[in-house]
């Protein structure tokens, strides 16, 4: 027994230190001597952080079976964790709801209000009604505040915020999510950081708030350095890949979405569909329409897929099919998905010469954007309105609306959408003065080429040639224009041959931050090492 106790203690210390391999070794040794609830629970935690999800769930379920007879408090938390993770990793709502119900039943027998609040939170997490989730999360939050349970408070705030976003209350919901993650990073259990960061990630993707994800990811540097990346679930990893697609970091997006697809292979169709939809979005941006369609095959009726599929039909010239799909889905989707579908429908109207129909969709989008407090919806509304005005020959008004859309997409750091809006702005400007229109298209063409958006780049090049303008040859490597100002600063110092510690000192940033910037630079430039990255900069500045 002393040996087992020593191994369990060593495993707990390793978990606290974030040494997952050591924790797995210690708990595995303890379980081989005696299969206890504590040993199996700890072994499941270690497996989960190391990415072996199936092994983790097997351990936790065995641990629950043992603890339900001897340690009901542990049983409640195991049931709670299994509920949340069955949903986040496998999209298995039935299993999630079953484990949540079990947590509630066991907690009610113990008569502990804190345990009951945790169990209620699990039940809220597996519920489909956002209003009910808000009510449960608020009740759990009140209990947490009254007893001073920091982790319960933060998890409740996070779930509360996500539910408010699902109700269309984007600003209020994001404020709660920000507060929850700030509190978690400021001092909470690692699994609380994972829970709050993943909910924020998924909500930001649904809200189109990609800049917030980037900012929070940088704020998680110290956590990542100690424990590893918190985006452990298939769902939030897929969402992270979607963010990378939207902000133009397509090489890293490829890597993350491929990994998410692999994680999702054992999951329910909803999770596989989400990973496929985001990867298909990347292929659509790259102009690989056939590959995008292949990815979506078998998932056509999934809500997350339908906006991408509708956009794919429209881009492929299948306007009637796109319209049919949109009209069937408009009344049963989330506001942000509705916005994407309505813009597709408005674009289809314009393709068919129905300017009044496009204007009507723009009005619907504007109303939706006002109700949802969403910058992404506002951007889509302004862009469609600008296109309808251009079609009516009201070029001055169109320029104003498209300029507003350009600003919105720019604030959201969505370079592909910015460049596409520039093309539309050029069409509106060309009637009055061709020179500024050509300048807009040149900028858009450069962005398309940097991103690897081949179909858009070809369209921009054709526009320039039709206007009698030359098509500029790329001067630098693909991706150089995608670097942020700070990444460019890091690259400039890196090109001098300085190591990371000296770059950190020169720029007054941490070494860990330098490491992240260097990794991002290599990914965006599509190069293998620092020498090749420096050569890219030197070729442009010579």
């Amino acid at each position: 027994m002393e040996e087992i106790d020593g191994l369990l203690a060593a495993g707990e210390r390793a978990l606290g230190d974030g040494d997952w391999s050591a924790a797995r070794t210690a708990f595995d040794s303890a379980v081989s001597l005696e299969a206890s609830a504590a040993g199996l629970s700890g072994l499941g935690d270690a497996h989960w952080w190391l990415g072996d999800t199936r092994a983790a769930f097997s351990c936790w379920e065995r641990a629950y079976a043992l603890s339900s007879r001897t340690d009901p408090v542990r049983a409640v938390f195991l049931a709670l964790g299994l509920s949340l993770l069955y949903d986040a990793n496998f999209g298995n709502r039935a299993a999630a709801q079953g484990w949540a119900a079990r947590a509630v039943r066991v907690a009610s027998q113990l008569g502990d209000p804190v345990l009951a609040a945790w169990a209620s939170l699990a039940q809220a997490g597996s519920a489909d009604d956002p209003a009910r989730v808000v009510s449960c999360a608020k009740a759990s939050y009140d209990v947490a505040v009254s007893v001073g349970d920091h982790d319960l408070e933060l998890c409740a705030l996070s779930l509360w915020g996500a539910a408010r976003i699902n109700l269309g209350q984007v600003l209020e919901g994001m404020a709660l999510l920000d507060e929850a993650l700030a509190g978690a990073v400021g001092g909470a259990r690692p699994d609380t950081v994972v829970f709050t960061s993943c909910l924020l990630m998924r909500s930001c993707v649904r809200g189109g708030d990609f800049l917030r994800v980037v900012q929070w990811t940088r704020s998680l540097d110290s956590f990542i350095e100690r424990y590893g990346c918190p985006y452990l679930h298939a769902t939030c990893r897929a969402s992270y890949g979607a963010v990378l697609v939207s902000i133009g970091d397509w090489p890293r997006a490829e890597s993350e979405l491929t990994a998410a697809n692999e994680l999702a292979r054992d999951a329910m169709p909803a999770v596989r569909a989400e990973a496929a939809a985001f990867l298909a979005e990347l292929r659509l941006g790259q102009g690989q329409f056939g590959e995008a369609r292949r990815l979506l095959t078998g998932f056509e009726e999934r809500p997350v897929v339908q906006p991408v599929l509708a956009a794919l039909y429209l881009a492929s010239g299948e306007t009637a099919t796109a319209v049919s799909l949109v009209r069937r889905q408009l009344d049963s989707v989330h506001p942000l998905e509705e916005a994407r579908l309505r813009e597709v429908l408005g674009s289809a109207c314009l393709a068919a010469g129905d300017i009044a129909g496009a204007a009507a969709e723009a009005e619907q989008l504007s109303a939706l954007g006002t109700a949802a407090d969403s910058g992404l919806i506002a951007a889509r509304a302004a862009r469609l309105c600008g296109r309808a005005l251009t079609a009516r020959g009201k070029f001055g008004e169109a320029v104003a609306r498209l300029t507003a859309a350009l600003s919105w997409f720019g604030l959201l750091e969505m370079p592909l959408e910015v460049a596409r809006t520039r093309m539309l702005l050029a069409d509106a400007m060309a009637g009055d003065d061709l020179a500024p229109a050509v300048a807009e298209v040149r900028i858009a063409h450069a962005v398309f080429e940097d991103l690897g958006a081949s179909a858009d780049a070809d369209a921009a090049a054709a526009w320039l040639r039709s206007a009698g303008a030359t098509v500029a040859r790329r001067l630098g490597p693909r991706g150089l224009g995608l670097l942020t100002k700070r990444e460019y600063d890091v690259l400039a110092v890196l090109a001098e041959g300085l190591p990371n510690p000296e770059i950190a000192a020169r720029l007054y940033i941490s070494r860990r931050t330098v490491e992240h910037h260097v990794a991002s630079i290599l990914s965006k430039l599509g190069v293998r090492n620092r020498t090749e990255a420096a050569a890219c900069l030197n070729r442009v500045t010579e």
Side-chain angles (χ1 to χ4, degrees):
M1 287 302 298
E2 287 184 8
E3 182 181 0
I4 293 172
D5 290 343
L7 289 168
L8 293 176
E12 291 295 341
R13 285 195 299 272
L15 286 179
D17 293 337
D19 189 345
W20 314 122
S21 294
R24 180 177 58 185
T25 299
F27 285 122
D28 192 41
S29 297
V31 168
S32 67
L33 294 173
E34 180 184 45
S36 67
L40 286 166
S41 177
L43 183 58
D45 291 347
H47 278 310
W48 181 62
W49 280 97
L50 290 168
D52 193 344
T53 305
R54 282 292 180 189
F57 275 67
S58 175
C59 289
W60 288 329
E61 287 170 344
R62 291 172 61 197
Y64 174 83
L66 292 172
S67 63
S68 63
R69 295 189 295 269
T70 60
D71 187 354
V73 173
R74 184 188 296 275
V76 170
F77 283 106
L78 283 165
L80 183 155
L82 284 164
S83 173
L84 296 174
L85 298 177
Y86 258 111
D87 189 19
N89 284 280
F90 301 127
N92 191 333
R93 301 291 274 184
Q97 289 167 356
W99 280 109
R102 195 64 198 150
V104 169
R105 185 177 297 277
V106 176
S108 67
Q109 294 169 355
L110 297 174
D112 184 330
V114 177
L115 280 178
W118 274 110
S120 176
L121 204 62
Q123 204 161 43
S126 61
D128 296 317
D129 178 6
R132 183 186 171 200
V133 176
V134 167
S135 177
C136 290
K138 177 68 166 59
S140 294
Y141 171 79
D142 290 340
V143 172
V145 171
S146 69
V147 300
D149 189 323
H150 187 56
D151 291 281
L152 176 59
E153 175 191 350
L154 298 175
C155 290
L157 274 177
S158 191
L159 197 59
W160 185 3
R164 292 194 70 171
I165 289 172
N166 287 336
L167 288 169
Q169 301 165 4
V170 177
L171 294 180
E172 298 89 342
M174 281 300 178
L176 291 171
L177 285 164
D178 282 339
E179 180 185 350
L181 186 49
V185 173
R189 294 197 308 257
D191 52 352
T192 299
V193 177
V194 171
F195 182 81
T196 55
S197 62
C198 280
L199 269 181
L200 183 138
M201 168 69 68
R202 298 196 68 200
S203 296
C204 283
V205 169
R206 290 182 68 77
D209 195 347
F210 308 115
L211 177 58
R212 183 178 257 99
V213 175
V214 174
Q215 291 171 333
W216 270 116
T217 298
R218 291 169 183 162
S219 298
L220 288 165
D221 277 353
S222 59
F223 180 89
I224 292 171
E225 186 173 4
R226 179 173 180 181
Y227 297 105
C229 181
Y231 307 126
L232 295 170
H233 309 305
T235 50
C236 59
R237 188 159 195 174
S239 295
Y240 187 43
V243 169
L244 294 172
V245 171
S246 296
I247 65 173
D249 193 347
W250 287 4
R252 272 205 301 162
E254 180 95 32
S255 175
E256 291 296 325
L257 290 172
T258 301
N261 262 336
E262 179 64 20
L263 280 173
R265 65 192 172 118
D266 293 328
M268 299 294 284
V271 178
R272 298 202 307 273
E274 189 170 85
F278 294 148
L279 188 54
E281 187 81 73
L282 174 59
R283 296 291 179 254
L284 181 58
Q286 293 169 328
Q288 299 178 25
F289 299 160
E291 177 62 12
R293 189 167 307 211
R294 185 194 68 76
L295 286 164
L296 299 179
T297 300
F299 300 118
E300 290 86 351
E301 295 307 311
R302 296 284 168 177
V304 71
V305 162
Q306 284 152 4
V308 185
L309 187 59
L312 174 59
Y313 284 143
L314 186 64
S316 302
E318 300 174 56
T319 305
T321 306
V323 169
S324 175
L325 172 62
V326 170
R327 292 201 185 281
R328 282 187 286 115
Q329 302 301 327
L330 271 178
D331 294 331
S332 59
V333 292
H334 181 274
L336 293 157
E337 292 160 350
E338 180 185 345
R340 175 78 178 277
L341 289 171
R342 286 200 179 279
E343 189 177 22
V344 168
L345 184 56
S347 299
C349 289
L350 289 171
D354 182 5
I355 301 173
E361 292 304 325
E363 288 181 13
Q364 291 268 25
L365 265 176
S366 296
L368 188 63
T370 300
D373 289 326
S374 168
L376 180 55
I377 297 178
R380 294 193 185 283
R383 182 162 66 182
L384 184 56
C385 183
R387 293 182 67 188
L389 288 166
T390 299
R392 285 177 169 167
K394 298 182 178 181
F395 300 119
E397 294 176 52
V399 167
R401 299 303 296 152
L402 290 167
T403 300
L406 194 70
S407 297
W408 273 115
F409 283 123
L411 287 171
L412 293 167
E413 293 202 5
M414 300 175 73
L416 179 63
E417 301 304 332
V418 168
R420 286 175 171 172
T421 306
R422 284 192 189 281
M423 294 295 298
L424 298 170
L425 181 59
D427 288 337
M429 297 170 69
D432 292 329
D433 191 347
L434 190 60
V438 167
E440 293 292 343
V441 177
R442 286 196 191 284
I443 296 171
H445 181 258
V447 173
F448 292 143
E449 286 211 322
D450 272 342
L451 287 170
S454 58
D456 288 288
D458 290 344
W463 194 103
L464 289 168
R465 284 191 290 268
S466 70
T470 57
V471 180
R473 181 177 64 85
R474 187 201 313 276
L475 296 177
R478 185 170 72 83
L480 192 62
L482 299 178
L483 300 184
T484 65
K485 181 181 184 303
R486 177 56 85 185
E487 287 169 347
Y488 197 91
D489 292 341
V490 170
L491 177 59
V493 181
L494 180 153
E496 298 177 21
L498 298 183
N500 285 357
E502 294 185 34
I503 295 175
R506 173 83 67 87
L507 299 177
Y508 300 101
I509 56 180
S510 72
R511 296 184 186 184
R512 185 67 177 177
T513 300
V514 172
E515 290 173 11
H516 285 312
H517 283 321
V518 170
S520 179
I521 289 165
L522 298 182
S523 173
K524 288 182 179 180
L525 297 183
V527 297
R528 294 170 295 179
N529 53 48
R530 300 161 71 95
T531 301
E532 291 182 3
C536 288
L537 181 64
N538 291 335
R539 283 199 299 272
V540 175
T541 55
E542 284 174 353

